[in-house]
Every structure is written in C-alpha cells, then in structure tokens.
Amino acid sequence: MIYEELQRQIEQLRALSRNGVDLSEEIARLEAKLAALKRQTATPAPSPAPSPELDDWERVKLARHPKRPYALDYIQALTEDFYELHGDRLYGDDAAVVAGIARFDGQTVVIVGTQKGRDATENVRRNFGMPHPEGYRKALRVMKLGERFGFPILTLIDTPGAYPGVGAEERNIGGALAQNIYELFNLKVPIIATIIGEGGSGGAIALAIGDRVLMLENAIYSVITPEGCAAILFRDASKAPEAARALKLTAPHLLRLGVIDEIVPEPPGGAHLDPEMALCALKSAWQRHLREVLALPVDVLQKQRREKFHKMGLYEEITESSFS
Amino acid sequence: MAIFGKKYFKVELERLERKDDETLWMKCKACGELVFKKRVRENNNICPKCGEYFFLTAPERIELLVDPGSFEDISRPIVAADPLQFIDEDGKPYSEKVKKAQEETGLANEIIIGRARIGGYPVILAVMDFRFIGGSMGSVMGEQICQAIQYAVQERAALVLISATGGARMQEGILSLMQMAKTSAARKRLEDAKLPFISIMTYPTTAGVEASIASLGDITLAEKGALIGFTGRRVIKQTIRQELPEDFQTDRFAFEHGIVDNVVKREQLRDELIKILRLFAPLLAHSSAVAGEAHQREAIV
Ligand SMILES: [Zn+2]
C-alpha cells in the first residue's frame, strides 16, 4: 500500500517536473525512502489484521457504542494546550462540533471534530453529535484560520449525520455541506481526516476531505444509515443488519474500495475496552502521516488531494456507436 | 439513445421517442381536466387548463432550452457498474434495476451531458432525468459531471446543471457519497477558468446532490414548483415529531431563506438563461450570429 503510494507520488512529481518545475530534490528523497522501505520489508511487515470474524452489523454497534472514545477524548489525550474556539460568526455556536487550536507532536495544529454527548444532558447540548449548518460553518472558519497560519488540520468524524431539522434546512444545511467540501479541497495546508466512530453521509464527508483519510477499525462510513437504507430499500427498518452488510460500510470494505487510506487498529472488542491502546494507535498513525504530508509542497498536496477523490467510483466503459 | 447489448447510443432530440404518445389525451392530476397531449407538449409540459407543471424528462428539458439544432450529446459512453454487488428488497441485483431503467427511459444513464447553444451562447449542459432511479448520483453521474466541467473549460462555455434528483445512489454505497467530493473538487476548474456555472434546481433537488455540486453554482435558480432541501420531509418529521411548515423546502421557502437567487417559471427559463449568459458573454467563446454583433468580442483566454 505504502509502496504504491510512494511510487505514485514519485510519478506525479516526475510528471510535474516535465512541466518545468524543479522537484529533483523531492523526487530523490522519495526514491531513497522507497528503496529503504523495500529493503526493510523484504519480510512482510506485520500489518494490523482487522478481525475478519466481526460481522458488519457488529461493527455498526461498536461504532455507536456509548462508551467509545469520542472526539474530545482523542483531543485531550493526544494534544496539548487545546484552545477551543466557538461560533461561526454568522448565527451561533454549535456544540455538536468542537474546533480549536492545539499542539500535537510539537507542532501547532487545527483540530475539528463532531462531538457526541456522554450522558443525556450532554447529548441534548451536543445534539447527539448531529451538527447544524453553524457547526459546519464554524469548522470551516477555524480550518481557514489554520490555513492562514500554515497549521495542518486534523479532523475527527463521529456523527450519525447532519441534523434533520427545520432550522437546519432554513439555514441551508445542504449549502453548508457543499461549501465545506469545496473549500476543503482548496485549503493550502495538509489535512488528515479520521473517521473514529460513525461517518454518517453528507454530514461526515463535509469534514472528511483530506490528504489522508484514516478510519478506526470498528468505525463505519456510509452514504446512509443502515436503518434509513432498510426503510427505503427493504421497506422495513428492522432489516438494518442486512442493510449494513449490503452497504459495505466498514473499514476493511472501504479500504478495498479505495475510499480510505489506512485502518487504525483497535483493541480486541473495540476501542472502549482499552481506550489507551486506541489512542496510541491513532497517535502513531497521525505522526507518520503528518510527517509524510508535511514533506510535500502545497501545490503537489492539493493536486494529489483532488486526484485521490477524482479516482473514486466505478463504472463500465461501453463501445460507442451511434445512428447514422 | 439507449444501450442495446454493448452499444451506447446518444440522445438525438430529432429522434425523441415518447412512450405515451400512443394516446392522444391525458388527464391533469391537478385540475382533473382531460387535455390534448399535443397541446401540453407545445406548452412546455404545462397544463393548458390550470398551469400545473408536468414532469419533464431530460431530453424534453434540453429541447425546451437550447437553440434548435444546436444540441449534441457528448456524454461519456459509460454505464453503471455494481461495485457492491447490491441486492434490493425483492432479491433483484442493482445491475437489473439499471437495465430496467435503461429500457424504460431509453437512456443509458440518469444524466445527459451535451454541447449546445442558448441564445447563441455556448453552453455545456448536464441534465438529470428523475425517471432513471430517481435521478440519483452514483459513479456515472459523478464522472459525467466532471466531463461536463472539462468540456466547458476546453470550449470556454458556460456550465448549466439541471438537477432532478433524490440524492446519492444508495446501491453504490460509499462510492456514491464520494461523488459529492469528486464533483465539488472538479468545480474549481470553472472558477480558475473564470467560466460561469449556472445551477438550476427543479423538482426535486435534494440530499447528496443538493449538498454538493448543485449548491456550488455562481448563479442558482429554482424552477417554479421545485423541491429543494437536504433531508427528506418524512425523515425530518419522524425526527422532530412535529408538523412541518406548509411551504417547507418549496421554491418559495428556498428563495425566502436565501438559498436561490431567483425562482423562474418553466416557460421563462430559456429567456432567463439568455439574460444571464449575455452578462458573461465576454468570457465565453465566440457566440454564434444568433447572439448578435454586440457579443462577438474576442473571448478572454
Ligand atoms: Zn390542469
């Protein structure tokens, strides 16, 4: 996986060089890295083996487990000096989204995440992690702040989806999601997105455009909830387990489909059983990927970000023929 | 016009087949009157008795907007694959659903990409057809929209996107969701090239398409009678357990909440587009004589 990524990066840099940009240093550096890696992995690296015995529906339940670490747990454990910022400067502050500046691995970063509540009271305040448009607009405001100062961006995604309510529609939730997706592609700083729990549809992808998209082993990421899919396609919401399997919404499936870059391993039985381990795994993944993306020139990064998503999708070519 | 076996045919407006043309009369669902179908067609698919808008297919929509004889289907010859091996409730694979939609609509896909002139101005059209699995966006639509953007940039044409869609296509799972990203990323090319993108939202423009490319227009129009929103009415009602405002997610609602620039009657859409395109004319490639001398200035490259 990492080989191919490196190879791809080298090729892209070469292609860019042909257009008159001097990237020989960068290419040499990557080639050295690739060679070193090839030596290192003459014996296959112990890749985290995602527990294949776990059923997709089991994973949905783990992704939604009430004791699972939430965004703020990762932020508090993995970063220092987190300074939370509030409000979208347009309408209000949405507690379903946390956003701020922090230090990670000796470097100032911007962190944005969707946040669920631990108990009923907090869940009312956090709206069960379902943001309104002001949440997405706050996220974008803070990410643009990061861009201004050259801080890389880390996002944490754990939401059932954007909030389905009247106020959200009145304040153009669809437009807010679209704007975020669009702007994330144009940000001139590295972005690492991590799906840590539920990646619910448009409300998730609006924070999940990144140079790297990581996913915890038992997280889910889907175009629709299994319940919603079951209600519409199977006309029976109780068929959610079947829908979950049909939707291929777990990390191993998404890795195969080319939608995510890496699975971050969880302790057996889920992140809530040994949060320490889950936190450590994410920390080392972030360190590694940040190092890689920070080494790339911004224009290369942006180009790769676009190309990465441009390749997603599958269709069949048909031989063309028309009436004459 | 359709795919038969492994052949892909392009839409030709002159050869439009209309399945329901065997009958001469139709009953208006709004006023209940029997109306002469030919009259309805001539009237932009609007009931001549009460003004109700009947459903427009993508080819009909194109016919309504473009300069006669100027349209050329430039869709990429691709069709939906079945990346998830998805099986529907009735045990039918997704691929069969696609095939059925192709047979019923005579179209290869839920979207048609075309080159045309409107009032003489060069445009690239991307038009969705709601009959084709709810006009939902899967990998094909994502790719076709990107192609449309590429053509617009190459030919210095305006992009006109006409949405009629229920959102992302569930049967392609996460890959459908990713088309929101793919299309939104491509949209930047129009901005970089200083080319106008006009997004027209019709009944319905919702969910994954509304929350991505359709909401990224330089100018956003709602066709009168449009339904515009992210989450469906039913889901919202179930969540909040309250009655929804009567005009919820209507054209008027979208206008009053600042979501669209203008609400335009169907019969005025073409004129509205010409009005807008005229303002961007200096940025577009040479417009044909129809556009008049005033806009024959050289294109800015
Ligand atoms: Zn009528």
Side-chain angles (χ1 to χ4, degrees):
Chain A
M1 196 61 200
I2 189 141
Y3 272 139
E4 284 142 36
E5 172 64 19
L6 271 172
Q7 209 105 51
R8 203 165 58 85
Q9 284 179 11
I10 292 169
E11 276 161 31
Q12 276 165 357
L13 289 176
R14 283 213 182 103
L16 279 173
S17 306
R18 281 193 286 276
N19 297 331
V21 196
D22 183 8
L23 296 162
S24 50
E25 246 184 71
E26 187 58 35
I27 293 170
R29 203 186 58 77
L30 287 178
E31 275 174 338
K33 198 168 158 189
L34 183 68
L37 205 75
K38 274 182 178 159
R39 279 194 301 276
Q40 237 178 56
T41 49
T43 53
S47 61
S51 339
E53 71 278 7
L54 265 189
D55 173 69
D56 288 348
W57 179 242
E58 294 299 319
R59 283 221 160 92
V60 172
K61 287 193 280 187
L62 282 179
R64 294 170 173 171
H65 199 286
K67 293 222 167 76
R68 193 172 172 82
Y70 292 156
L72 275 174
D73 299 310
Y74 290 100
I75 294 172
Q76 268 143 20
L78 302 184
T79 70
E80 287 160 26
D81 308 329
F82 176 60
Y83 188 76
E84 189 173 353
L85 299 170
H86 293 276
D88 68 346
R89 301 294 184 271
L90 295 164
Y91 181 84
D93 185 45
D94 185 348
V97 172
V98 292
I101 317 171
R103 293 190 63 77
F104 172 76
D105 206 26
Q107 147 122 48
T108 304
V109 296
V110 153
I111 292 213
V112 173
T114 49
Q115 178 67 31
K116 294 176 177 173
R118 221 23 108 183
D119 54 39
T121 323
E122 199 196 351
N123 254 327
V124 169
R125 189 162 73 86
R126 304 260 184 219
N127 201 30
F128 298 86
M130 292 184 279
H132 279 77
E134 43 277 19
Y136 292 101
R137 288 175 183 140
K138 169 171 72 176
L140 186 57
R141 176 178 78 84
V142 176
M143 290 191 281
K144 285 199 158 182
L145 182 153
E147 182 187 39
R148 260 192 322 270
F149 295 99
F151 302 151
I153 297 166
L154 302 169
T155 70
L156 293 155
I157 294 110
D158 185 14
T159 177
Y163 186 62
V166 176
E169 296 290 329
E170 285 174 340
R171 299 194 290 281
N172 194 13
I173 183 70
L177 299 176
Q179 206 60 43
N180 271 34
I181 297 170
Y182 181 66
E183 294 288 352
L184 277 165
F185 277 107
N186 303 325
L187 288 177
K188 294 182 181 71
V189 285
I191 309 167
I192 296 181
T194 310
I195 322 280
I196 55 168
E198 281 184 276
S201 191
I205 195 173
L207 295 173
I209 305 300
D211 304 298
R212 297 288 187 278
V213 181
L214 314 179
M215 191 162 165
L216 262 64
E217 191 182 331
N218 295 312
I220 56 168
Y221 191 12
S222 181
V223 67
I224 186 169
T225 60
E227 289 79 2
C229 176
I232 296 171
L233 279 187
F234 305 138
R235 294 179 199 107
D236 180 0
S238 72
K239 288 197 173 152
E242 282 96 315
R245 282 171 213 124
L247 284 167
K248 308 263 196 293
L249 43 59
T250 62
H253 287 307
L254 300 191
L255 189 66
R256 265 196 297 279
L257 289 166
V259 169
I260 58 165
D261 297 293
E262 187 174 306
I263 300 175
V264 182
E266 289 186 33
H272 62 289
L273 293 181
D274 185 357
E276 199 64 27
M277 196 218 127
L279 293 164
C280 275
L282 184 56
K283 184 180 180 182
S284 72
W286 274 358
Q287 284 173 326
R288 190 160 32 83
H289 287 290
L290 258 186
R291 226 175 292 136
E292 284 174 21
V293 290
L294 281 167
L296 294 170
V298 170
D299 50 340
V300 176
L301 204 64
Q302 278 188 317
K303 187 165 177 283
Q304 287 183 0
R305 195 185 298 158
R306 273 172 210 291
E307 280 170 358
K308 172 185 165 70
F309 283 87
H310 185 78
K311 279 191 216 128
M312 293 182 192
L314 196 74
Y315 42 77
E316 266 181 61
E317 305 267 352
I318 298 291
T319 50
E320 199 171 341
S321 161
S322 48
F323 300 130
S324 52
Chain B
M1 190 171 277
I3 63 161
F4 302 107
K6 284 283 179 190
K7 279 182 187 157
Y8 182 100
F9 297 108
K10 295 185 175 299
V11 171
E12 293 176 45
L13 295 182
E14 299 72 26
R15 292 172 186 266
L16 269 191
E17 290 169 29
R18 291 189 175 97
K19 270 207 162 167
D20 53 358
D21 274 356
E22 296 106 55
T23 56
L24 286 174
W25 296 85
M26 65 186 284
K27 194 175 177 178
C28 171
K29 60 184 187 303
C31 65
E33 294 271 337
L34 271 181
V35 285
F36 192 41
K37 220 182 249 174
K38 196 155 165 280
R39 279 277 292 130
V40 173
R41 300 271 181 236
E42 287 163 1
N43 198 32
N44 302 320
N45 260 20
I46 302 169
C47 175
K49 296 270 165 61
C50 75
E52 173 77 6
Y53 282 17
F54 299 128
F55 190 77
L56 275 187
T57 67
E60 284 168 348
R61 235 182 218 300
I62 295 167
E63 205 176 24
L64 191 84
L65 295 177
V66 304
D67 297 351
S70 73
F71 175 79
E72 185 192 346
D73 184 343
I74 51 170
S75 307
R76 228 188 118 177
I78 51 173
V79 291
D82 188 0
L84 269 45
Q85 304 289 304
F86 200 96
I87 309 283
D88 268 5
E89 73 282 8
D90 35 16
K92 286 220 182 88
Y94 169 49
S95 50
E96 265 180 46
K97 192 169 196 140
V98 172
K99 208 174 288 168
K100 202 170 145 226
Q102 288 168 336
E103 276 158 17
E104 282 174 3
T105 60
L107 302 174
N109 296 303
E110 62 289 332
I111 190 165
I112 299 169
I113 305 303
R115 173 190 292 126
R117 298 235 165 213
I118 296 180
Y121 300 108
V123 296
I124 298 294
L125 287 165
V127 186
M128 300 175 200
D129 197 307
F130 190 75
R131 295 170 302 162
F132 199 110
I133 318 186
S136 53
M137 176 164 72
S139 304
V140 168
M141 187 187 286
E143 176 63 17
Q144 299 284 19
I145 289 174
C146 289
Q147 289 276 313
I149 290 170
Q150 196 181 319
Y151 276 116
V153 171
Q154 277 167 5
E155 301 177 13
R156 293 216 61 83
L159 179 73
V160 178
L161 173 75
I162 304 177
S163 301
T165 172
R169 184 167 294 172
M170 247 179 293
Q171 294 90 342
E172 288 182 34
I174 196 78
L175 293 181
S176 296
L177 193 72
M178 293 304 126
Q179 303 313 307
M180 295 171 70
K182 178 170 167 168
T183 53
S184 302
R187 190 262 178 261
K188 179 72 160 53
R189 303 187 58 194
L190 294 168
E191 186 182 314
D192 292 344
K194 289 194 167 60
L195 288 167
F197 167 23
I198 303 166
S199 174
I200 302 178
M201 299 178 168
T202 74
Y203 183 97
T205 300
T206 57
V209 175
E210 196 256 354
S212 61
I213 190 69
S215 283
L216 294 172
D218 294 304
I219 291 171
T220 309
L221 304 178
E223 184 183 55
K224 185 172 166 273
L227 173 80
I228 297 165
F230 179 58
T231 310
R233 220 185 145 88
R234 192 179 50 81
V235 174
I236 294 178
K237 228 166 135 176
Q238 274 170 10
T239 311
I240 64 173
R241 294 170 201 285
Q242 278 169 24
E243 282 308 308
L244 297 172
E246 210 175 294
D247 70 344
F248 193 57
Q249 296 179 333
T250 59
D251 49 354
R252 202 178 67 202
F253 178 94
F255 183 74
E256 280 174 3
H257 289 96
I259 294 168
V260 297
D261 290 300
N262 279 303
V263 179
V264 186
K265 286 182 181 163
R266 177 180 288 175
E267 58 271 35
Q268 280 160 10
L269 261 180
R270 180 178 146 85
D271 287 346
E272 194 87 358
L273 279 175
I274 295 172
K275 242 193 267 175
I276 295 166
L277 289 168
R278 185 173 298 143
L279 297 166
F280 289 94
L283 294 161
L284 305 175
H286 286 289
S287 308
S288 72
V290 193
E293 256 65 81
H295 310 108
Q296 293 294 322
R297 277 170 288 173
E298 72 287 5
I300 295 168
V301 183

